[in-house]
Amino acid sequence: MPSSPATVSGAVFDIKRFALHDGPGIRTTVFLKGCPLSCMWCHNPESQATRPEILFSADRCTGCGACISACPQAAIFIAHAVAQTDRDRCGGCGQCVSVCPSHARTLLGKTMGVQEVVSEIESDIVFFDESGGGVTLSGGEPLFQPEFATALLSACQHLRIHTALDTCGFAPWEHLSQVARVSDLVLYDLKHIDIPQHVRWTRQSSDIILDNLVRLDALKKRLWIRIPFIPGFNDDLQSWHALAAFVAQLRCVEAIHLLPYHRAGEGKWRQLERLPEAVFCEPEKEAINAAVALMRETTGCPVHVGG
Ligand code: SF4
Ligand code: SF4
């Protein structure tokens, strides 16, 4: 028997108000922690792990050592005059954050109840109503926490708030269909049709993603397709012909959004003290325009850059 929404909680890493690119109108986007993919270009690497994590700004650290005394796991030590965190030992308790006089440490991710999140959202209802906006559940991957995602979107719908699910589609169909039932719109990320390429760059296969998308379309779910445009991964014409041909067979796609790679997420890899497995450059405008034209011509759908 499903838990009562009042008792369901989940791992949240951010709640962004006045978002303009996560669905129609002005929206509040709730970012859930945890993702089954490991995309090498990920803009939100802090969303990949389900557990809370420390973001560390080395340029602020004075090496004072206050965090060392506060850590119950003995996970921090000084090297090269700044704090270093043994992330295998770190339990994500956050006790080192408040003692840091330089604000060099931030804890990312916390457990929140459905009602707690709804209370933060409710004050924005007036903006939703005026702009045709609502709430978008993003991540990470919301379907990694299907019970929480379902309870949260269901609570929003109960308040007559428009709901959108932003998903990578890599999830059991039961989870996707359950959350989609309480989503007025699904923003569906499509990255590559070719299975070996998808596995190589995201660590997971595209077959379940493609299959789930076809099934959602058959349910007549309103869909916005979002495709990252990543030089070296999917910016060649062959990849775009395949993506466009796949989208063209769907009947419920209202819009396609092409998301060019940008470097804004690179600093977060540093703050997590991790190195990305690959380095990417931002795409040329001509390449973006060619992909837009091809997608528009093949699918007949409106195609936007960004969002
Ligand atoms: S979050 Fe907790 S366990 Fe992790 S480094 Fe800070 S004090 Fe130590
Ligand atoms: S408390 Fe802050 S400034 Fe001091 S060593 Fe730790 S991270 Fe650096």
Side-chain angles (χ1 to χ4, degrees), residues 56 60-67 78 83 99-102 104-105:
F56 174 63
R60 291 190 181 170
C61 177
T62 61
C64 72
C67 53
I78 300 287
V99 300
C100 174
S102 309
R105 309 180 74 81

Side-chain angles (χ1 to χ4, degrees), residues 54 67 70-76 85 89-97 105 107:
I54 289 289
C67 53
C71 179
Q73 301 294 335
I76 312 174
T85 305
R89 292 185 80 114
C90 173
C93 68
Q95 291 184 40
C96 56
V97 173
R105 309 180 74 81
L107 185 70

